Amino acid sequence: MDRETLNAFVDGELTPQEMARIAALIETQPDMKAYVLKQEKLRSALRLEEVMRTPPSSRLVEIVQKAPVSWRWRLQAVLGRRFVVRSLIPAGAALLAGLIIGVISGSGSDLVLAHGRMLARGNLAQTLNTRLASTGYSGEGPRIGISFRERAGNNCRTFTTDNQAGLACHRGGDWVVTTLVAQSPETGGSYRMAGSEMPDAVRRAVEATIQGAPFDAKAEAKAQANGWAGR
Amino acid sequence: MDASLDTIRHQMVQLLPRLRRFAIALTGSAADGDDLVQDTVERALKNLHAWEPGTRLDSWMFRIAKNRFIDTRRSARRGRVEPIEAAEESTALDGERAMQSHLAFQDTAKALQSLPVEQRQAVALVLVDGLSYREAADILEIPIGTLTSRISRAREALMTALEG
């Protein structure tokens, strides 16, 4: 019997049949049995039980609880993982394609066309101006997804309503809706619930324009305090 | 707002004792082990997007710890005298606590330090942490046959060191 097989026996790495066969065999072979016992002793010495019994320092625990998380992970958490992993770059064209997708329906007075731009008005504008994503969703009206600075320097926010999802950027005192996608009320409902799904067109638009990481609660509050004015 | 992040952080806290043990087995001291764990945790969170949800968090973090350990050694060798190897002399678990009962621990840690790094990593995963050969080979990114032969060689050396 070679040592590697005996080691594998000690490590529990053999098939149940082999384990049983060797267990029976070593009872008849004192040398083999002595070797196995020694290896078992070695294993238990190496368990470093003392380390396992010592609680990790509170400093270490605090680091786990507070150390910053990758902004790409946070983006994935909001936008959905598949998209972010797959394509951080080829989204430029999608922005153009996404300029207006879908149909403007329902809450008509919340959107107006002016000088070839779609602007948020009414309830939507109010929400974009005042609601912080970090304080959670009240269950009423449009819902804010993420807020971020676009490369051009403006502040932007994603939103969902009962039947639409979109991206709006604050330019010249107005919320310009750069991407708008229609969605069914059923999906709209689930957006509200999870807040973690977003149509591809909106995701791509965010990816194509975002500068750095999405705002955390502090940056979001600061942007709001500055009236969402960009750089 | 990030329920899933809270869950992940919680799982990482649960993993801390195993990570510490792994790190101490690699570095040979509680202080260096804690540094390695801290480094590992920070790096894991900073690169959390690289972790595939649904896959094992422990394996992923062990791999980060293993890589950080190798990187640290490499830069230590390039730089001045760094405490990783020197730590062998000062093996201690949380300084002041009951030195007496730590003698066995010190012997074990010292024996581990006498192993070549490749063997030490394999032992730390299989014999110290109790992972399967398959899991350990995946973490170390080596064929399973390489792993078993490293473990076998390490066993011989450890038996000699601990009996001697």
Side-chain angles (χ1 to χ4, degrees):
Chain A
M1 177 78 40
D2 65 286
R3 290 252 159 122
E4 281 208 11
T5 308
L6 281 180
N7 291 340
F9 171 75
V10 174
D11 296 336
E13 289 280 340
L14 301 174
T15 63
Q17 294 86 337
E18 276 288 281
M19 293 294 288
R21 188 178 73 83
I22 293 177
L25 187 64
I26 59 174
E27 291 305 321
T28 66
Q29 306 274 336
D31 281 2
M32 271 169 62
K33 180 155 192 180
Y35 179 81
V36 166
L37 288 178
K38 262 207 257 180
Q39 290 305 328
E40 281 172 350
K41 211 171 130 197
L42 175 67
R43 266 197 86 125
S44 75
L46 287 172
R47 299 293 292 185
L48 303 181
E49 292 296 344
E50 285 189 52
V51 178
M52 290 303 278
R53 279 197 299 269
T54 314
S57 66
S58 50
R59 194 179 67 96
L60 218 44
V61 173
E62 192 173 324
I63 286 164
V64 176
Q65 283 161 348
K66 304 243 170 90
V69 158
S70 113
W71 67 264
R72 285 185 61 188
W73 184 87
R74 272 194 267 122
L75 201 56
Q76 283 170 5
V78 178
L79 300 185
R81 176 179 181 79
R82 263 176 309 130
F83 172 71
V84 182
V85 173
R86 206 174 43 215
S87 52
L88 273 169
I89 300 138
L95 175 64
L96 288 175
L99 273 174
I100 294 187
I101 296 176
V103 193
I104 304 174
S105 63
S107 53
S109 61
D110 279 359
L111 294 167
V112 297
L113 282 171
H115 309 293
R117 302 185 308 173
M118 194 192 304
L119 306 178
R121 286 287 182 267
N123 203 11
L124 179 57
Q126 171 82 0
T127 300
L128 288 165
N129 277 326
T130 58
R131 200 162 287 167
L132 293 177
S134 52
T135 54
Y137 182 55
S138 65
E140 287 289 317
R143 177 179 183 149
I144 298 296
I146 57 167
S147 307
F148 62 94
R149 169 80 44 88
E150 67 170 346
R151 291 206 192 93
N154 302 303
N155 291 315
C156 302
R157 315 189 81 191
T158 64
F159 61 88
T160 53
T161 68
D162 281 343
N163 47 19
Q164 291 157 343
L167 171 64
C169 294
H170 200 259
R171 294 174 190 159
D174 265 315
W175 284 105
V176 178
V177 178
T178 60
T179 305
L180 188 69
V181 183
Q183 56 183 357
S184 67
E186 298 83 60
T187 9
S190 75
Y191 286 138
R192 288 168 172 233
M193 296 290 287
S196 59
E197 294 279 330
M198 202 174 278
D200 275 355
V202 179
R203 300 175 190 189
R204 293 199 192 103
V206 172
E207 288 290 350
T209 54
I210 191 168
Q211 164 92 56
F215 291 161
D216 56 17
K218 204 169 139 196
E220 188 189 42
K222 197 174 153 197
Q224 187 201 32
N226 289 335
W228 301 103
R231 265 195 318 255
Chain B
M1 148 174 152
D2 276 330
S4 60
L5 182 57
D6 287 345
T7 310
I8 293 170
R9 288 194 199 267
H10 178 72
Q11 286 169 347
M12 285 185 180
V13 170
Q14 303 293 310
L15 270 177
L16 280 178
R18 281 178 63 205
L19 272 176
R20 276 191 84 230
R21 180 171 62 172
F22 178 62
I24 289 171
L26 290 182
T27 62
S29 83
D32 290 335
D34 278 350
D35 285 350
L36 178 56
V37 173
Q38 175 177 344
D39 192 15
T40 301
V41 165
E42 286 171 345
R43 196 151 282 247
L45 288 167
K46 216 169 98 191
N47 291 292
L48 197 55
H49 56 271
W51 175 62
E52 184 78 42
T55 62
R56 284 179 58 165
L57 189 65
D58 60 346
S59 302
W60 184 65
M61 292 192 73
F62 275 135
R63 188 175 303 142
I64 295 174
K66 179 260 303 186
N67 289 336
R68 290 308 296 155
F69 173 63
I70 300 291
D71 290 349
T72 314
R73 281 175 56 89
R74 219 171 266 150
S75 60
R77 237 174 303 162
R78 264 204 305 274
R80 298 129 301 203
V81 194
E82 276 288 322
I84 300 279
E85 292 297 344
E88 199 178 321
E89 306 303 323
S90 60
T91 305
L93 193 64
D94 288 337
E96 323 303 332
R97 279 194 236 175
M99 285 305 291
Q100 200 61 16
S101 68
H102 291 141
L103 284 177
F105 167 79
Q106 292 196 14
D107 288 345
T108 313
K110 197 166 178 181
L112 282 168
Q113 293 309 296
S114 69
L115 297 175
V117 175
E118 297 77 26
Q119 292 181 25
R120 203 187 313 160
Q121 291 176 338
V123 166
L125 291 172
V126 174
L127 301 184
V128 177
D129 192 67
L131 291 178
S132 71
Y133 291 174
R134 178 75 268 158
E135 290 162 341
D138 286 347
I139 289 169
L140 297 176
E141 297 160 292
I142 55 174
I144 202 159
T146 308
L147 179 92
T148 50
S149 72
R150 282 181 191 172
I151 300 257
S152 280
R153 269 178 282 141
R155 273 195 155 100
E156 306 291 332
L158 286 171
M159 297 300 286
T160 315
L162 287 172
E163 276 175 1

